[in-house]
Amino acid sequence: MKLAILSSPFKRQTQSTRVIMAQVALACVPGIITQYYFFGIGHIIQILLCLVTAWLCEALVLILRRRPVFHILSDNSALVTAVLLGISIPGYAPWWVAVLGTIFAIILAKHIYGGLGQNIFNPAMAAYVFLLISFPVAMTGWILPHSLIQLPFNLNDGIHLIFSGFTTDGFSLHQLAHADAVSQATPLNAIRTGLTLNQTPQTVMTSPLFSAIGSVAWGPINIAFLIGGIFLMIRRIVRWHIPITFLVVLGLLSLIGYLFDPSKIASPAIELLSGASMFGAFFILTDPVTASTTNKGRIIYATLAAILVFVIRHYGGYPDGVAFAVLIANMCVPLIDHFTQPRVYGYKGKSSHE
């Protein structure tokens, strides 16, 4: 008989990795549809670019490693990485952003460690941070909701904007909205920009622009990803420990900050329904490979991530911070797991004379 030594993730699941990954991708559909409704075709194109690049890179690396290509490609792990990264990238970022990010995710963040189960960082978030640090202008060019765009903009314009940098009428991304609105196209960006102008979060939130991008667009997007996350918990793909702990801790920190310093800290509702809060809680932090593997460890891991997100959002250089928090928490997982492993049944510890 031949002994087969398998790598993590080891999950007590009756479903295969292929089915689990497919359900994670399926749970993203409500969020993707909501993004499409408010911002157009951009994110779908980014996901397709990431998907094609992911499959090509995965196949190339598997051929070079002399591994079974179609068998491993069918586990849908590359599919999930592509979908998560495509959702995270600004919808109308240049096409090469998605391609470069996916190459980094598949080759450097995944296969350089040995492939699925061996990587220590979430590939999609590692790629997102790489893109954000390397190409900050492209990664912060969020378009406004279509209802706020004053110039003509349709499906063909979106495609042209991604692949050429201009719409069919020759307008650039910055011309599709007010110049200052492009850098404030998410609620967290708007609040951060307002604080630099000595405005309070309450003042920023009274502006029509914030009301449109916050309540009308990003709130529903976060709720859509919450629905997808609940689906994953019902299907027992995701346990409650990480997402619920993350949201509760982030909400409590926001509430404490809001009560003590409302001039700088937004309300918990803004914190939880803006940026990547729900997306990060249910789809990023819960990665079975890079998250903690014990129940107690999951709670510690999620608590650490929530604290980091709060600190980065309000005291760091970036308005969101979920990706950075995830990567830092990933680095702490081996230590967390080491100290939270359940005691072996029957073990009483060292005796007093030892």
Side-chain angles (χ1 to χ4, degrees):
M1 295 181 63
K2 184 178 180 181
L3 177 64
I5 302 177
L6 303 178
S7 63
S8 61
F10 301 113
K11 292 180 65 68
R12 290 179 288 184
Q13 286 275 0
T14 58
Q15 305 177 82
S16 65
T17 300
R18 178 178 62 84
V19 174
I20 293 172
M21 293 294 180
Q23 292 187 71
V24 172
L26 178 63
C28 291
V29 170
I32 295 172
I33 293 175
T34 310
Q35 285 181 321
Y36 169 75
Y37 178 80
F38 289 107
F39 297 104
I41 197 68
H43 282 287
I44 295 178
I45 296 176
Q46 300 293 350
I47 291 172
L48 293 176
L49 286 170
C50 291
L51 187 56
V52 172
T53 307
W55 279 337
L56 290 175
C57 289
E58 186 108 317
L60 175 62
V61 173
L62 291 173
I63 291 172
L64 294 176
R65 296 179 60 194
R66 299 181 181 180
R67 302 287 301 278
V69 176
F70 295 104
H71 174 71
I72 296 180
L73 277 177
S74 65
D75 66 11
N76 288 329
S77 61
L79 166 68
V80 171
T81 298
V83 170
L84 298 182
L85 181 58
I87 290 172
S88 304
I89 294 174
Y92 295 97
W95 64 270
W96 49 265
V97 170
V99 172
L100 282 179
T102 308
I103 292 173
F104 185 95
I106 298 298
I107 296 179
L108 296 180
K110 179 181 178 182
H111 279 286
I112 199 171
Y113 292 100
L116 180 65
Q118 306 293 333
N119 51 291
I120 63 175
F121 296 110
N122 183 294
M125 290 301 97
Y128 178 84
V129 169
F130 158 72
L131 292 173
L132 186 60
I133 295 175
S134 302
F135 312 104
V137 175
M139 289 296 291
T140 54
W142 291 91
I143 197 171
L144 292 173
H146 283 184
S147 59
L148 295 180
I149 296 178
Q150 303 297 321
L151 299 173
F153 190 79
N154 54 35
L155 175 62
N156 288 333
D157 291 318
I159 296 174
H160 275 266
L161 187 61
I162 291 174
F163 289 97
S164 69
F166 298 92
T167 66
T168 54
D169 294 323
F171 296 113
S172 68
L173 176 64
H174 291 272
Q175 291 173 313
L176 292 175
H178 298 92
D180 61 340
V182 176
S183 63
Q184 300 179 29
T186 69
L188 296 176
N189 280 340
I191 293 174
R192 173 59 65 88
T193 303
L195 290 175
T196 61
L197 300 175
N198 295 321
Q199 297 176 344
T200 65
Q202 290 73 22
T203 303
V204 177
M205 288 185 286
T206 58
S207 69
L209 175 62
F210 183 90
S211 176
I213 64 178
S215 302
V216 176
W218 287 93
I221 288 173
N222 273 272
I223 292 173
F225 282 117
L226 172 62
I227 293 172
I230 293 173
F231 167 79
L232 291 179
M233 290 200 295
I234 292 174
R235 297 291 300 168
R236 297 185 181 275
I237 304 299
V238 168
R239 294 189 176 187
W240 66 267
H241 304 78
I242 292 176
I244 300 303
T245 301
F246 174 80
L247 295 176
V248 168
V249 174
L250 180 59
L252 287 175
L253 291 174
S254 303
L255 177 61
I256 295 171
Y258 180 71
L259 292 176
F260 279 91
D261 193 0
S263 64
K264 293 183 179 179
I265 308 297
S267 67
I270 296 297
E271 293 286 343
L272 295 177
L273 295 178
S274 299
S277 296
M278 296 297 173
F279 180 62
F282 290 97
F283 295 92
I284 303 301
L285 282 165
T286 55
D287 177 19
V289 178
T290 58
S292 180
T293 58
T294 67
N295 288 340
K296 186 185 297 184
R298 292 185 181 107
I299 294 174
I300 297 172
Y301 165 78
T303 300
L304 173 62
I307 294 172
L308 290 170
V309 168
F310 181 80
V311 170
I312 293 172
R313 281 182 176 181
H314 298 287
Y315 305 104
Y318 294 90
D320 197 341
V322 170
F324 292 96
V326 169
L327 296 185
I328 295 172
N330 288 162
M331 288 189 286
C332 300
V333 163
L335 184 65
I336 294 173
D337 281 351
H338 175 76
F339 287 104
T340 59
Q341 288 295 329
R343 179 173 294 183
V344 177
Y345 181 75
Y347 176 78
K348 294 183 179 180
K350 294 184 178 180
S351 61
S352 59
H353 63 274
E354 291 181 340

